[in-house]
Amino acid sequence: WEWFWLFPMQSLSRDPRGERDAAKRRHHILPRAYQKHLSLAAVKAEIPKRSNSHVLRHSYATHLLENGTNIRTLQDFLGHACVETTMIYLHVMEDQQDLTVSPLDILEGSS
């Protein structure tokens, strides 16, 4: 499946870099067309903030971290060479300090 396009064009076309008699194939949509569809979807969903691929990437990473995904796993998902790059996403996480229970509090409650 890795050779299938996630966002294919609606029509077939020839590769402009290829031979003149090359077969018609389905290619991926152009970035501008993808961005247009993404923006229209955001308008339909009544999302007031700017929407683009980079925003989706940040949102994806932040939500994974907030749901407990290991930072090294996220580093692999995002294709970052070093973990310091992935750690940038930590600053936008919601503060979850109030959700964390101290082991001392657990022991205190069981007495």
Side-chain angles (χ1 to χ4, degrees):
W1 288 99
E2 65 187 52
W3 53 271
F4 278 94
W5 296 109
L6 185 57
F7 300 104
M9 291 188 80
Q10 290 179 350
S11 59
L12 300 177
S13 62
R14 295 185 204 286
D15 186 345
R17 300 168 296 176
E19 299 175 17
R20 197 169 272 253
D21 59 344
K24 284 187 171 184
R25 295 197 170 101
R26 190 169 312 277
H27 296 277
H28 60 86
I29 62 173
L30 299 173
R32 195 175 358 209
Y34 165 78
Q35 181 56 47
K36 178 183 171 188
H37 288 294
L38 184 61
S39 296
L40 288 172
V43 168
K44 284 183 180 179
E46 299 179 2
I47 298 172
K49 296 184 178 185
R50 186 181 83 211
S51 299
N52 59 41
S53 297
H54 197 69
V55 171
L56 290 177
R57 181 179 171 91
H58 278 287
S59 179
Y60 172 72
T62 302
H63 285 289
L64 284 175
L65 285 171
E66 287 175 350
N67 288 314
T69 300
N70 180 296
I71 190 102
R72 297 277 185 193
T73 302
L74 184 60
Q75 175 189 1
D76 186 47
F77 284 173
L78 298 176
H80 292 158
C82 60
V83 74
E84 286 79 14
T85 306
T86 311
M87 289 174 67
I88 292 169
Y89 294 99
L90 291 172
H91 80 279
V92 292
M93 284 178 54
E94 287 184 15
D95 183 19
Q96 296 185 347
Q97 187 173 2
D98 58 335
L99 301 176
T100 306
V101 178
S102 166
L104 297 176
D105 292 338
I106 293 171
L107 290 175
E108 230 175 66
S110 66
S111 316

